Amino acid sequence: MENRIQRIFLVPLFTASTLALTALMPSSAAFAADDTPNTVKADVERRTVLDDVIDTENFEVGIQGGILSIEDFESNPWISAHVGYHISEHFYVKARYAQAKAGETSFEKLSNAAPLLTDDERELTYYGLNIGYNLLPGEIFFSKDTVFNSVFSIELGGGSTEFAGDEQFTFNLTANYRVFLTDWIAWDLSMSDYLFNTEVTGASKTTHNLNFATGVSFYF
């Protein structure tokens, strides 16, 4: 009896509650539309960028000119040429041939003694082989719309130096910075130290001969 009375009162109450909630709840379509967040489209002007990179060009030839500071013999003009092969994206090898002519020592300038070297002995010739590593690839911005790829690399190598009537093994350390003007030509800047032994001033000693040079390289 008690259960029947509960059903009589609860069923109408449950039905009325359901109808009221249905009327108050928004439709599923409206809910989905309201639930979608507002999106803002960025008004960005796209620009075309020409990305010149070295793709299949593994061989390199180049020429450079600069200054070689021959220890005890002033700073002198320097000219060089090289041939390189890029083994991978990071490593390359480079063969170099270069020439310079030594000036006078302080002793020769201050005294009236005979020159320490003849004109032929003042001719300095270097040839050697370096291995390089591309350390810091990047970009250089010349203006708002002009961008070039670049890379900073280091090189280690050895070779031979003919100077003062003698031929000496030479250790070479180079820091090189290249700017790729196109995908087949680059502008080179380099700073090098050529270390070799001489006995020109008497006792044998290891000399540090600093070189600053710039030039162009061609890739094919």
Side-chain angles (χ1 to χ4, degrees):
M1 183 66 179
E2 183 179 354
N3 291 335
R4 187 172 60 182
I5 294 174
Q6 290 177 352
R7 287 197 299 271
I8 292 173
F9 285 100
L10 290 177
V11 170
L13 180 61
F14 177 76
T15 302
S17 300
T18 302
L19 293 175
L21 290 174
T22 303
L24 292 175
M25 289 289 291
S27 64
S28 59
F31 179 80
D34 294 338
D35 189 55
T36 303
N38 294 328
T39 58
V40 178
K41 295 183 179 180
D43 186 11
V44 178
E45 181 181 355
R46 301 294 180 179
R47 62 173 181 163
T48 303
V49 178
L50 299 178
D51 192 16
D52 287 327
V53 295
I54 302 301
D55 42 24
T56 60
E57 292 85 355
N58 295 327
F59 290 93
E60 169 191 354
V61 295
I63 55 174
Q64 286 187 328
I67 298 295
L68 176 67
S69 177
I70 305 175
E71 188 169 327
D72 298 324
F73 286 90
E74 302 180 321
S75 297
N76 309 275
W78 159 279
I79 187 170
S80 70
H82 69 266
V83 177
Y85 178 75
H86 291 258
I87 303 170
S88 67
E89 181 181 357
H90 300 289
F91 290 96
Y92 61 91
V93 291
K94 182 183 293 183
R96 182 181 299 278
Y97 178 84
Q99 287 186 336
K101 187 171 184 177
E104 295 182 332
T105 64
S106 299
F107 172 77
E108 290 175 304
K109 292 180 178 180
L110 297 175
S111 68
N112 294 323
L116 295 177
L117 301 175
T118 64
D119 288 342
D120 290 339
E121 291 175 335
R122 292 182 190 275
E123 298 287 344
L124 183 148
T125 302
Y126 170 81
Y127 55 91
L129 182 67
N130 282 12
I131 182 168
Y133 179 75
N134 294 323
L135 186 63
L136 296 173
E139 295 178 329
I140 181 171
F141 293 78
F142 280 93
S143 69
K144 178 182 177 181
D145 300 318
T146 307
V147 183
F148 296 104
N149 289 303
S150 64
V151 62
F152 175 79
S153 59
I154 55 174
E155 300 176 13
L156 293 174
S160 179
T161 298
E162 296 180 3
F163 178 61
D166 197 6
E167 186 172 349
Q168 295 287 344
F169 172 78
T170 303
F171 176 75
N172 169 240
L173 173 63
T174 297
N176 180 263
Y177 186 70
R178 284 167 288 164
V179 179
F180 296 100
L181 304 178
T182 69
D183 62 348
W184 62 275
I185 185 171
W187 173 34
D188 282 349
L189 288 168
S190 66
M191 184 72 181
S192 305
D193 187 8
Y194 295 88
L195 292 84
F196 58 87
N197 293 334
T198 64
E199 297 180 355
V200 177
T201 57
S204 176
K205 67 175 183 177
T206 300
T207 60
H208 291 264
N209 305 275
L210 301 178
N211 166 241
F212 175 78
T214 184
V216 291
S217 297
F218 304 92
Y219 296 82
F220 59 95

